[in-house]
Amino acid sequence: MRQVFQQELIEIQEGLVELAQLMVRAIENATEAFAGSDIVLAEKVIEHDPEVDRLAASLDERVTKVLALQQPVATDLRLMVSALRMSASLERMADLAQHIAQLARLRYPENAIPEPLRKTFTRMGKLDIQMAHKIVELLEEQNIDTIVEIRDLDDELDELHTKVFEKVLTAGLMEKPEHAVDATLASRYHERFGDHAVSISKQMHYFLAGQRLS
């Protein structure tokens, strides 16, 4: 019975990694679509979002079943609780990638990024992608040092998010009203993506160390 339980734990961890890998693909394609007004990539992100939703739902069902039938304790229980929360954050990160892709599709064939902010959004996209890959690394290797790296990347992302708002509020910088709307929404999507990455890192710290980070 214990051997079956351990196999179920392994499959839950593998499911989290698979979900994270889908999220990585989504944010990579979304940021490229957003930067280059690539309608094909944008549609690809949107089309594959239900796949993420199905995997997240399946993973949650598996965790719930294990909780009900195995009644885990200590470290195993922490994994179950963390898995449910990480699954929700991973699904939300993929949703945010979809929102970025939808902005690119909405403004096609024009570029959704106002010229004065293109370098900023390029950097924000790179930071999101870096954090996404760090999440996969964290789930696979379970190294606490990776948690610090994710938080550092998020700090830089938060600074850029603040700068976007400062530029949006600068009189005359945005050529069209929709530029201000697009910049505000896109910046918020990137920033929230980073917040969920940090949330996952906190859950992993709880699982590994039994302590919650502030």
Side-chain angles (χ1 to χ4, degrees):
M1 194 67 177
R2 184 66 185 176
Q3 187 175 3
V4 172
F5 178 48
Q6 290 302 319
Q7 181 60 35
E8 288 173 332
L9 295 181
I10 291 171
E11 290 176 0
I12 287 170
Q13 290 175 299
E14 290 175 345
L16 284 170
V17 172
E18 183 182 358
L19 187 57
Q21 289 170 338
L22 290 178
M23 174 271 295
V24 169
R25 184 177 67 186
I27 192 62
E28 286 178 337
N29 288 339
T31 53
E32 185 176 346
F34 191 64
S37 300
D38 190 325
I39 190 67
V40 174
L41 270 182
E43 293 285 3
K44 186 176 180 179
V45 175
I46 296 165
E47 178 184 339
H48 283 94
D49 189 64
E51 181 183 354
V52 177
D53 295 341
R54 285 192 295 270
L55 180 56
S58 175
L59 183 60
D60 289 349
E61 288 177 8
R62 182 185 294 271
V63 172
T64 302
K65 182 179 178 181
V66 172
L67 282 170
L69 298 180
Q70 302 290 351
Q71 298 181 339
V73 296
T75 303
D76 294 338
L77 179 59
R78 290 205 303 270
L79 173 61
M80 298 294 99
V81 173
S82 297
L84 285 171
R85 293 179 177 175
M86 288 189 286
S87 173
S89 286
L90 289 168
E91 182 182 7
R92 185 57 185 149
M93 290 169 81
D95 286 341
L96 289 163
Q98 181 191 29
H99 294 338
I100 293 169
Q102 287 171 332
L103 270 180
R105 183 177 67 175
L106 176 66
R107 298 305 176 195
Y108 179 81
E110 295 183 4
N111 195 304
I113 310 174
E115 179 62 36
L117 288 171
R118 287 184 185 171
K119 288 184 178 180
T120 301
F121 275 105
T122 296
R123 181 57 185 161
M124 292 180 86
K126 288 180 178 179
L127 287 170
D128 277 350
I129 291 170
Q130 282 181 270
M131 279 190 283
H133 281 283
K134 287 294 179 183
I135 288 298
V136 174
E137 180 183 328
L138 179 60
L139 292 171
E140 288 180 329
E141 301 178 8
Q142 300 180 0
N143 188 337
I144 286 183
D145 292 339
T146 307
I147 294 172
V148 178
E149 296 174 6
I150 292 170
R151 291 171 75 99
D152 288 344
L153 291 169
D154 185 61
D155 287 342
E156 183 180 349
L157 186 62
D158 287 342
E159 291 177 6
L160 292 174
H161 178 58
T162 300
K163 289 180 181 179
V164 168
F165 273 82
E166 290 173 353
K167 289 188 176 181
V168 167
L169 294 173
T170 300
L173 193 59
M174 301 293 104
E175 295 180 2
K176 302 177 181 178
E178 57 265 32
H179 285 170
V181 174
D182 291 347
T184 301
L185 286 174
S187 184
R188 182 58 174 164
Y189 297 151
H190 282 294
E191 188 263 344
R192 287 298 297 153
F193 188 94
D195 286 348
H196 282 287
V198 170
S199 177
I200 291 170
S201 72
K202 289 180 178 180
Q203 289 302 321
M204 184 56 76
H205 187 276
Y206 170 64
F207 163 58
L208 295 174
Q211 297 175 335
R212 296 191 183 278
L213 294 175
S214 58

